[in-house]
Every structure is written in structure tokens, then in C-alpha cells.
Amino acid sequence: MSLRAANGRIVYKTRLRREESALQPKSLLNPFLSASNFLMRTLAILFLTIAAFGQTATETGKQALPVDQENARKARAIVDRGIQALGAQAYLNVKDLSEEGKNFNFHMGRPVGAGTIYWRFYKLPDKERVEFTKQRDVVDLFTADRAYEITFRGVREPAAADRMSGMLGPTWPDYFRRRRYSLDWVLRRWLTEPGIALFYEGQSVADGKSVDQVSLMNTKNESVTLFFDLETHLPIKKSYSWRDPTDMQRNTEEEIYANYREADGVMTPFTLTRFYNGDMSGQRFITSLKYNQGIDNALFDPKPLSKK
């Protein structure tokens, strides 16, 4: 009896321990296993989150890149169409030009004098000579990196601050800056430089016409904006800004190209108007123009005027 009772108590206690064990939470039974599972689940969720974010970022990057490429492609197409409108290869193959006309200078938007007749000779890429007065006895001459003023007194190289006589200044630093940003240099030189960037900036209005607006930036961080007529595709405006090294103020120069005519297969603006910080600073009216006349290099030698 006692043994069975004892055995019965033993059996009862053993069953009780088994039932209590079955009712206890597993985390209490194996806390280390529970913590490990929790950590693994957390890491899995974190990994999936990072993977999803990376996939989204990759997809976003894939979408942004074509947008930039499409903008540059459209900008280049507009510029190429403008070159075609100017005469395509006839324009690109220009070696020199000779023109006559009348130039007007302005100061703070007001005309200075009654205008001056001129004869201009330009040999690409960097030789230019302009003769003034009926006697053609005042000459502004520019080569690759030098400027000269020639009069009956002889030849002189003006100082940087000296005002020159004609329409290309008023000083020689002004001339070289304008040449660097000139339409011919932008279309013939900038576009062939490595690293040139083009940006289509939408449609706007320039000189009363609807235009496509394209900006170009070179590796020197110089930029210029061109405006192309939506109907003719010809460039009708150019704008650029620069910082004056003396007072560090930013200045904006603009040119308006109008009265286009065909000359030797090249569409040419016979009226050019220049603005400086919003004020008209010069206007040129071309009366005659010829391309590729084979101008002699001797014309650009800085030598005294011949006596007539």
C-alpha cells in the first residue's frame, strides 16, 4: 500500500510537472532561442527595407538620367537646326567677310553723335580690322591677343583703360570678351570643345518673337544663352553675364539680331543691337556684305596708314 501510495505520489508529481511545463511560455523555457529568433526577424525586416530603398533609388536614378539626356538632346537639336537655318555648311565654311555700314554708339541708352560709317574686314578666327570716316583714316585692329589703334599719328597699342575709336570697344578688354562670347565663336568653337554642356530652358519671347531658349556652358564655367525664332529657327538674341574684376559687380550683355538677309548662301543679320545691363549701348546697320573674298593677311599687319 505504502509503496503504491508512494509510487502513486511519484507518478502524480511527475505528471504535474509535465503539465506545468506544457503550460509555461516557450520564451521562459528557452529565452536564448527566443531572443535569437527575434534578432533574426529584425535583421530580415531591416535588410528587406534597405533592399527596397536601394531598388527605389536605382529606379529613380534610371529615370532621372534619361531626362537630363533628353534635355541636352533637345537643346543640341535646336542649335543644329539654327546652324542649318544660317546656311549649314555655307555658314560653317566661312573664312572671311567684308562689310560696310553705319555704326551708332550709345551711352546709358542715349545716342552719342550722329553715327559713323565703317568698313569692316574679318578673317576667322581672330583677325579683325575696322576703318572709320570717309577718309578711312582711323583704324581699330585686333589680332589673336593684341589690339592696335592706327591714325595719321601712327600706330599705338592702347592701354587697357583707354577708350578706342570705334564700335568694337570701347576698350580692348571689352573687345576680347565680346569676341569670346560672340555668336560666331559660340557656334563654331564652343560646340566643338570637349565638355561643353547644353541646356534647353523652354520657350520664351525675345524681340517680340516666340523663341526656344538654349544655354551653353563650357569647362571654364562660362555660359551664354541663345534664343532661336520658332518659325525661322534663326538666332535672334544672345545673352551672357560676366563679373567685373574691379568692383566684382555682375554685368549682362545682350545682342539682338534682326533684318536677316541671304549673302553668298549665308543668312546674315543686317541689323545688330547691343545692350549693356539693359541699356542700349550700340547699333550697327550693314549696307553691304560679302563672304570668302580671300582677304590678304597683310591687311591685319599693324603698320602706319599709307598716304593718299
Side-chain angles (χ1 to χ4, degrees):
M1 294 285 297
S2 59
L3 179 61
R4 284 196 297 271
N7 289 341
R9 286 195 296 271
I10 292 172
V11 171
Y12 173 77
K13 290 180 179 178
T14 302
R15 289 177 179 174
L16 180 61
R17 289 193 187 100
R18 288 177 181 174
E19 292 173 357
E20 289 175 350
S21 298
L23 294 173
Q24 287 181 353
K26 292 183 179 180
S27 59
L28 297 177
L29 290 172
N30 196 345
F32 297 105
L33 180 60
S34 177
S36 176
N37 289 339
F38 175 77
L39 179 61
M40 291 180 65
R41 287 197 300 270
T42 303
L43 289 176
I45 293 172
L46 180 61
F47 175 78
L48 292 174
T49 302
I50 294 174
F53 177 79
Q55 183 178 3
T56 302
T58 303
E59 292 175 355
T60 303
K62 290 181 179 179
Q63 292 174 357
L65 183 61
V67 170
D68 294 340
Q69 291 178 347
E70 174 61 20
N71 181 277
R73 185 203 64 79
K74 186 171 184 177
R76 184 59 191 247
I78 292 171
V79 173
D80 289 343
R81 196 164 56 209
I83 293 175
Q84 290 291 320
L86 287 168
Q89 286 304 311
Y91 171 78
L92 295 175
N93 291 335
V94 168
K95 300 296 187 296
D96 61 58
L97 66 86
S98 305
E99 74 177 63
E100 299 177 23
K102 194 167 186 177
N103 180 71
F104 295 84
N105 291 324
F106 293 76
H107 179 65
M108 298 185 69
R110 296 182 178 181
V112 178
T116 306
I117 59 174
Y118 71 88
W119 290 259
R120 176 177 176 243
F121 306 92
Y122 179 41
K123 190 162 189 176
L124 280 68
D126 52 21
K127 295 182 175 66
E128 190 161 6
R129 177 188 178 105
V130 184
E131 303 172 356
F132 302 96
T133 78
K134 291 181 179 180
Q135 293 74 32
R136 301 169 69 165
D137 56 0
V138 178
V139 177
D140 286 347
L141 178 65
F142 301 91
T143 59
D145 56 359
R146 307 287 287 274
Y148 306 90
E149 187 176 60
I150 307 173
T151 65
F152 66 92
R153 296 186 179 90
V155 180
R156 78 179 185 99
E157 292 189 59
D162 290 351
R163 296 184 68 85
M164 300 184 70
S165 55
M167 63 188 183
L168 302 178
T171 66
W172 63 258
D174 293 322
Y175 169 80
F176 287 116
R177 181 186 64 253
R178 289 172 179 171
R179 184 176 70 181
R180 192 169 66 251
Y181 286 96
S182 69
L183 183 64
D184 284 338
W185 273 49
V186 170
L187 295 182
R188 290 190 172 95
R189 296 171 69 111
W190 285 39
L191 286 177
T192 62
E193 294 176 356
I196 188 71
L198 291 86
F199 307 93
Y200 176 64
E201 299 188 14
Q203 295 183 356
S204 60
V205 176
D207 196 31
K209 299 179 177 65
S210 298
V211 295
D212 276 320
Q213 185 173 329
V214 175
S215 290
L216 300 88
M217 178 176 289
N218 61 22
T219 55
K220 299 175 183 177
N221 204 30
E222 298 171 332
S223 64
V224 61
T225 301
L226 304 179
F227 302 79
F228 295 87
D229 191 314
L230 287 181
E231 294 184 1
T232 66
H233 308 305
L234 292 166
I236 63 172
K237 181 181 176 181
K238 178 196 69 182
S239 177
Y240 65 93
S241 297
W242 57 280
R243 193 174 296 279
D244 192 322
T246 57
D247 58 14
M248 300 307 295
Q249 295 296 313
R250 181 167 292 277
N251 301 296
T252 299
E253 295 191 67
E254 298 172 317
E255 286 184 347
I256 300 293
Y257 310 106
N259 192 20
Y260 270 92
R261 302 180 194 174
E262 187 272 332
D264 298 322
V266 178
M267 292 299 293
T268 305
F270 273 59
T271 301
L272 295 89
T273 306
R274 181 179 293 135
F275 294 86
Y276 185 86
N277 290 335
D279 293 328
M280 185 182 294
S281 59
Q283 194 165 39
R284 188 159 92 229
F285 298 93
I286 300 173
T287 55
S288 66
L289 182 144
K290 293 181 179 179
Y291 289 105
N292 298 332
Q293 297 298 295
I295 299 175
D296 192 344
N297 282 328
L299 188 63
F300 304 98
D301 292 337
K303 58 186 179 182
L305 298 172
S306 59
K307 296 182 179 180
K308 296 181 180 179

